[in-house]
Amino acid sequence: MAQIVLENISKFYGEATALQDIDLAFTDLVTNAVVGPSGSGKSTLLQLINGLVRPDQGRVFVFGKPIDYQHLPELRLRAGYALQGTGLFPHMTVEANISLLARLAKWDAERIKARTEELMKLVNLPLAYAPRYPHELSGGEQQRVGLCRAMILNPEIFLLDEPFGALDPITRNEIQQEFLHLQRSEARTVILVTHDLREALKLAQRLVVLDRGCVVQHGTSAEILNNPANAFVRSFFESQLEA
Amino acid sequence: MRVLIIVLMTALLFAGGGNAAAGRTVVVGSKHFNEGYILAEVIAQLLEDRGFSVARKFGLGGTLVCFEALKNGQIDVYPEYSGTLATAILKLPRRVSYAELQDTLKRRFDMELLESFGFNNTYAIAVSRKLARQRELMAISDLAKFPRLRVGLSYEFLNRNDGWPGLARTYGLVVRPVGIEHGLAYQAIGEGKLDVTDVYTTDGDIKKFGLVLLEDDKHYFPQYLAAPLVRGRVNGRIIATVGELAGTITDAQMRELNAMVLLEGKSFAEVAHRFLHGAGLVTAQRARVEESKWLTLLSRTVRHLELTFIALLGGMIVAIPFGILAYRVRAISRPVMYTAGLLQTIPSIALLAFMIPLFGIGVLPAIVALFLYSLLPILRNTTAALFSIDPVLKKVSVGMGLTAQQRLRYVELPLAAPTILAGIRTAAVINIGTATLAAFIGAGGLGEPIVTGLALNDTSLILEGAIPAAILAILTEWAFEGLEKGLIPRHLLQRAAE
């Protein structure tokens, strides 16, 4: 069984349908990009996996078991989470932000320091930034800190919700390169939500295309590019790639 | 929880001195007006001379506060007036004899109303000595012969049913009086602009302006005989000692004692000692040295801070958790806020008065009242701060796997801290101001000179309490500013200030 499986999932917000009849097994140890126009349910789908959203119907399997909603923190510690706007804690230094989960897990100080520095080097953050506060960093640097924070416990899966969305093109490109570098050095199952198809094609091996709460196509990038399942997928790709 | 217990224990410890039943110290109380202080000081010094140790709870906020305090055993004795007991406390519809009054108090409240000091502080009609000689005025009934006299009366006396209307009926007076502010009436009579006014029989001003009191020959005015009112359960020796004061002070003497304080600026203690010495009730020179002003100020300030900060600490211990609870459980958020808001609307004096039946007088009820006042600012700021945390940060903290406890401890409370601290700061400053009123229920502090000053109409005495209290409030503001700078990263403070 794959690490992350959605079984017959539906989710409604009042009258509105957010997701409908989703059956999906994400591929382990590669980057799975979830793409689609805004409002198609990408974020909701991602948040099903760490229990931020509970399905109205169906089951979510993570690490081979249905999610136990009574013990979500345990699950979440094994699923790194980063999102747009970084969500860094403004009252903590860079170092404190990155190491928070390790401190809560009662790692010893040396191990925390070593892991923090390792991650900062991995994403090209100067170690001198460790005692600074997030507001003293640029948007790209903050995003890198967010990634480090999500990776501190070396989680088996990685949930990224438009993590590079707010960055300027140059910075975005840099971080994307670092992300690829990261995946090569510590490969893991990544679910990446993005509205940017180019980013998806660059970073992901597999794509999930969503439209109005339904999965319209799921496969490798090449498969979908060469054989769009329907007119929607074709036009979505054309409009995105021409722009 | 342990902290809460420690705080309560501390509060009780401090309040312990107020419980008369606990120790052998005799607690003497007084109302907050000149004569009350003098008589209480007389009682206190007499007891001290006879070897009792005495605690003074002077300047209590009115008849009801004193009476309740005596009933609850918070004080052992205070000077009271027979007329006040009959009308304000017992609410008797008709006039009763002194013996009946004594009986009723004994029966209903187990209190001993001792024999009167000997003077009667009631309403009286006064004229200038010159006019009295010219017209041969001796008694009120003589006034009926002179319908053209200029009569100026205090507004209260003019309108009270047991004031002028009844007096005019009883004596058949046809003269038309005008209303005049009591303080100005003396001056007007002194300058010959007014012939007749109402006074209290023991006013110190009577002597100063050389007035003559007309005899109430038809016994119209009720008697307000001043007497020590003693708790029934005290040692018989105390009753015997205080009883020595029976019949020792005449109306004229009381006027003189009042004048010594009001007009000559002598201290209550000095006036009381002079009287006791002169009456041969005490022989020894007073051994007690007058405390230095600075020491007094220091001890008042310390007490003031005690009241303020124990209450503030209690407020924090209760309001912050309740604020968190109101944030977590939306359903209780409104009831909690409204309750705290309601407490805030109770006028401070009324809240202090409500505390007396529950906690007596002294430090404890004052702390409880201040504690209640500090709840709302802290509570409101706590919930407001928690509710206004950036939703992205909340979502991240949940999504990354923090438990509810960890989120509170590491994310929500630190982010809310600047606003919570601002609430505590508001509460602290409010408390410093409100604590000055605590002197009305015998809690001491910087309110003491203010209360006394109000009774004596002595501005410099009022300032002796008001200025240090204001300085304390400013210092507290500074201290909190420093605390904020120390505890909270600068960039978060700026954000909170925006």
Side-chain angles (χ1 to χ4, degrees):
Chain A
M1 190 177 196
Q3 276 180 315
I4 304 168
V5 176
L6 307 181
E7 183 186 274
N8 190 28
I9 297 287
S10 292
K11 177 70 192 173
F12 311 100
Y13 291 118
E15 293 290 292
T17 304
L19 293 171
Q20 185 142 33
D21 302 325
I22 307 271
D23 275 298
L24 201 58
F26 290 99
T27 308
D28 288 353
L29 300 178
V30 301
T31 300
N32 300 261
V34 181
V35 297
S38 51
S40 57
K42 304 187 294 287
S43 247
T44 305
L45 189 141
L46 185 85
Q47 292 176 48
L48 283 170
I49 300 166
N50 65 3
L52 283 175
V53 169
R54 270 182 90 151
D56 293 314
Q57 177 202 302
R59 288 192 296 176
V60 181
F61 292 80
V62 183
F63 306 124
K65 281 183 297 194
I67 290 181
D68 175 1
Y69 289 96
Q70 303 309 313
H71 298 93
L72 283 171
E74 282 97 320
L75 165 72
R76 287 165 178 159
L77 290 176
R78 298 170 66 189
Y81 181 49
L83 69 164
Q84 184 173 9
T86 74
L88 293 183
F89 300 126
H91 60 293
M92 295 184 190
T93 60
V94 165
E95 191 176 18
N97 263 289
I98 295 175
S99 64
L100 176 60
L101 289 179
R103 282 182 286 136
L104 294 181
K106 303 245 169 9
W107 287 15
D108 61 63
E110 268 173 49
R111 186 173 169 208
I112 291 174
K113 190 166 187 299
R115 175 69 176 159
T116 306
E117 286 180 1
E118 179 192 7
L119 288 170
M120 286 178 75
K121 277 180 201 150
L122 202 63
V123 299
N124 271 331
L125 272 175
L127 292 183
Y129 283 10
R132 298 194 189 172
Y133 283 99
H135 74 286
E136 297 171 284
L137 273 54
S138 73
E141 288 159 350
Q142 291 185 24
Q143 209 70 58
R144 290 183 172 97
V145 176
L147 284 177
C148 291
R149 181 174 66 179
M151 287 188 296
I152 184 80
L153 296 184
N154 203 8
E156 294 137 89
I157 60 177
F158 220 14
L159 307 176
L160 305 177
D161 194 349
E162 306 260 15
F164 314 126
L167 301 178
D168 64 89
I170 296 171
T171 314
R172 188 180 331 155
N173 187 48
E174 272 176 31
I175 297 195
Q176 284 168 347
Q177 293 306 325
E178 274 148 23
F179 175 79
L180 287 171
H181 172 64
L182 217 70
Q183 270 300 84
R184 279 194 294 273
S185 57
E186 297 183 25
R188 70 197 81 208
T189 309
V190 177
I191 315 296
L192 169 73
V193 164
T194 177
H195 68 279
D196 179 354
L197 190 59
R198 287 170 200 272
E199 180 171 87
L201 292 173
K202 189 166 168 185
L203 302 182
Q205 289 75 48
R206 298 186 66 88
L207 300 184
V208 174
V209 186
L210 280 186
D211 180 32
R212 283 170 293 175
C214 295
V215 174
V216 286
Q217 197 165 7
H218 177 209
T220 65
S221 311
E223 277 166 15
I224 297 178
L225 266 178
N226 297 331
N227 293 304
N230 58 23
F232 166 78
V233 178
R234 188 180 303 116
S235 74
F236 178 69
F237 271 60
E238 279 168 3
S239 68
Q240 285 265 322
L241 295 178
E242 274 164 21
Chain B
M1 194 58 209
R2 209 169 50 201
V3 182
L4 186 69
I5 291 170
I6 291 170
V7 168
L8 286 176
M9 298 269 284
T10 318
L12 285 170
L13 200 67
F14 282 120
N19 192 348
R24 291 185 45 213
T25 301
V26 187
V27 186
V28 181
S30 93
K31 298 190 206 175
H32 63 120
F33 74 104
N34 194 46
E35 197 167 291
Y37 283 103
I38 296 174
L39 293 173
E41 189 60 42
V42 165
I43 294 172
Q45 286 186 19
L46 182 67
L47 285 166
E48 280 171 341
D49 183 74
R50 299 295 192 273
F52 294 96
S53 84
V54 172
R56 290 165 171 78
K57 293 271 176 203
F58 291 179
L60 301 177
T63 302
L64 214 63
V65 174
C66 284
F67 193 82
E68 284 290 330
L70 191 73
K71 206 167 81 183
N72 294 329
Q74 303 280 325
I75 58 177
D76 295 312
V77 52
Y78 80 99
E80 186 52 282
Y81 299 87
S82 61
T84 310
L85 285 166
T87 53
I89 299 288
L90 302 174
K91 302 194 167 37
L92 301 175
R94 55 179 185 86
R95 287 195 189 170
V96 295
S97 73
Y98 198 78
E100 278 179 86
L101 202 55
Q102 287 174 313
D103 272 356
T104 313
L105 286 164
K106 179 78 195 162
R107 211 176 51 245
R108 280 181 52 189
F109 299 103
D110 189 24
M111 291 175 185
E112 301 282 351
L113 179 64
L114 303 189
E115 289 307 316
S116 163
F117 292 105
F119 68 89
N120 176 20
N121 183 3
T122 184
Y123 280 117
I125 299 299
V127 298
S128 70
R129 186 160 294 142
K130 195 171 138 212
L131 187 79
R133 246 198 324 263
Q134 280 173 0
R135 306 280 170 94
E136 294 184 337
L137 297 174
M138 301 285 288
I140 299 175
S141 44
D142 296 336
L143 284 178
K145 290 177 262 177
F146 304 101
R148 311 280 297 267
L149 286 175
R150 293 162 300 174
V151 179
L153 303 173
S154 68
Y155 289 99
E156 192 193 345
F157 184 77
L158 191 58
N159 296 312
R160 272 172 73 138
N161 205 32
D162 58 349
W164 176 259
L167 185 77
R169 256 195 318 277
T170 308
Y171 284 97
L173 305 176
V174 293
V175 55
R176 296 210 143 214
V178 296
I180 184 170
E181 161 65 32
H182 189 63
L184 297 176
Y186 286 112
Q187 202 147 352
I189 273 200
E191 292 168 1
K193 301 212 166 89
L194 197 66
D195 299 317
V196 182
T197 192
D198 63 302
V199 298
Y200 296 102
T201 41
T202 58
D203 274 357
D205 291 306
I206 294 173
K207 190 175 170 242
K208 180 181 175 193
F209 290 95
L211 304 186
V212 172
L213 301 187
L214 299 180
E215 194 199 334
D216 180 15
D217 49 334
K218 294 191 179 170
H219 303 289
Y220 169 72
F221 292 119
Q223 290 212 307
Y224 283 78
L225 293 170
L229 187 59
V230 190
R231 211 159 54 85
R233 297 258 168 82
V234 299
N235 186 330
R237 266 193 62 218
I238 296 172
I239 295 181
T241 305
V242 179
E244 289 176 41
L245 293 165
T248 54
I249 311 176
T250 63
D251 288 10
Q253 273 177 311
M254 193 66 237
R255 275 200 288 279
E256 207 159 310
L257 297 178
N258 280 329
M260 277 189 206
V261 173
L262 283 172
L263 308 175
E264 296 168 30
K266 295 198 165 60
S267 74
F268 298 126
E270 192 185 341
V271 170
H273 178 70
R274 277 199 192 189
F275 162 75
L276 285 168
H277 202 67
L281 286 163
V282 301
T283 47
Q285 280 299 319
R286 263 167 63 72
R288 222 179 84 180
V289 243
E290 287 292 314
E291 273 184 24
S292 101
K293 269 217 149 153
W294 292 108
L295 268 178
T296 314
L297 178 65
L298 183 70
S299 75
R300 279 173 186 157
T301 308
V302 168
R303 166 59 61 85
H304 205 84
L305 289 172
E306 238 168 59
L307 295 175
T308 308
F309 284 95
I310 293 176
L312 189 68
L313 199 62
M316 286 161 58
I317 290 168
V318 172
I320 295 176
F322 263 97
I324 294 168
L325 199 66
Y327 161 67
R328 287 271 181 81
V329 188
R330 301 283 169 107
I332 69 154
S333 142
R334 268 167 190 245
V336 166
M337 281 305 158
Y338 288 167
T339 311
L342 198 70
L343 286 172
Q344 209 75 12
T345 63
I346 303 174
S348 4
I349 276 290
L351 188 62
L352 288 170
F354 289 149
M355 293 297 133
I356 293 169
L358 299 172
F359 304 105
I361 60 164
V363 172
L364 183 62
I367 288 177
V368 175
L370 292 174
F371 155 78
L372 291 175
Y373 272 123
S374 61
L375 288 179
L376 183 68
I378 303 178
L379 197 59
R380 178 147 289 169
N381 279 37
T382 304
T383 35
L386 289 171
F387 275 123
S388 65
I389 291 173
D390 183 352
V392 173
L393 295 183
K394 289 188 194 174
K395 191 170 170 180
V396 172
S397 60
V398 176
M400 69 193 278
L402 300 190
T403 62
Q405 295 275 3
Q406 290 169 336
R407 290 202 298 275
L408 198 64
R409 161 95 171 68
Y410 292 97
V411 180
E412 292 164 342
L413 281 183
L415 287 174
T419 313
I420 296 176
L421 204 56
I424 296 171
R425 181 170 162 175
T426 309
V429 174
I430 291 178
N431 269 6
I432 287 174
T434 314
T436 55
L437 295 173
F440 275 124
I441 55 170
L446 293 168
E448 227 169 49
I450 298 181
V451 167
T452 318
L454 285 173
L456 300 179
N457 206 0
D458 180 341
T459 315
S460 71
L461 201 52
I462 293 174
L463 290 178
E464 230 173 80
I467 291 174
I471 292 171
L472 217 53
I474 293 169
L475 290 180
T476 305
E477 288 274 8
W478 282 350
F480 269 97
E481 249 166 61
L483 201 63
E484 279 172 2
K485 278 193 188 131
L487 287 182
I488 295 160
R490 181 181 296 266
H491 62 282
L492 290 179
L493 270 185
Q494 281 164 349
R495 234 175 52 161
E498 270 164 17

